[in-house]
Amino acid sequence: MQSLRSASVCVQSIRRVQIGIPKFCRMMGDAVNEWPVETSIRKKLADAFQPEVLEVINESHMHNVPKGSESHFKVLVVSEKFSNQPLIKRHRMVNDTLQQELKTQVHALSILAKTPEQWNTSEQKIGQSPPCRGGAGL
């Protein structure tokens, strides 16, 4: 029943701002359990890093997996918590935060972990991922 109530609130809010239902619900972190892995990743990263910028991109559709899969993700996390940390440590911090998802549902995770200063002096773009090579490694 909670999901229906959340969905109703989400739809009412959408009518006010006139944007698409799935986009708005995911933006608000209320995916109504349509994307449970993406929602879990988003919540855990937000709680752990209090990021200034957080993007969670499901790239599963770019791979040879069933439609609607949640197995391949790219994340952008911009947080002060990365200050004075080398890149490898930042990646470990993200991996540690998402250890349950990485053990169970997530097959691949691309991580962009930046400080606010790094992000603000960059182009502020998330690069395109390369096409899937089908697991052949060719």
Side-chain angles (χ1 to χ4, degrees), residues 52-68:
E52 291 185 18
V53 180
L54 175 61
E55 292 285 334
V56 178
I57 303 165
N58 184 348
E59 296 186 328
S60 301
H61 67 280
M62 298 169 58
H63 300 274
N64 188 19
V65 296
K67 187 174 181 162

Side-chain angles (χ1 to χ4, degrees), residues 26-137:
R26 280 195 292 272
M27 270 178 25
M28 297 308 292
D30 186 10
V32 193
N33 293 328
E34 182 180 355
W35 303 107
V37 178
E38 181 178 336
T39 301
S40 176
I41 290 171
R42 187 176 308 281
K43 180 176 179 357
K44 286 183 176 183
L45 293 175
D47 290 349
F49 299 104
Q50 295 87 44
E52 291 185 18
V53 180
L54 175 61
E55 292 285 334
V56 178
I57 303 165
N58 184 348
E59 296 186 328
S60 301
H61 67 280
M62 298 169 58
H63 300 274
N64 188 19
V65 296
K67 187 174 181 162
S69 291
E70 292 188 283
S71 57
H72 296 70
F73 288 90
K74 178 184 285 190
V75 296
L76 165 66
V77 185
V78 178
S79 173
E80 278 295 334
K81 293 197 176 190
F82 295 137
S83 293
N84 301 314
Q85 299 295 332
L87 186 58
I88 189 71
K89 173 69 172 169
R90 297 174 191 186
H91 281 226
R92 286 180 181 145
M93 292 165 67
V94 171
N95 283 330
D96 288 347
T97 301
L98 301 177
Q99 64 183 324
Q100 185 60 38
E101 288 77 7
L102 291 166
K103 285 181 186 175
T104 55
Q105 303 106 326
V106 176
H107 169 74
L109 180 65
S110 174
I111 302 169
L112 296 166
K114 298 184 176 278
T115 65
E117 181 181 352
Q118 289 173 322
W119 180 248
N120 291 331
T121 58
S122 73
E123 292 182 26
Q124 298 185 359
K125 292 183 182 179
I126 302 173
Q128 184 76 19
S129 292
C132 178
R133 293 169 56 171

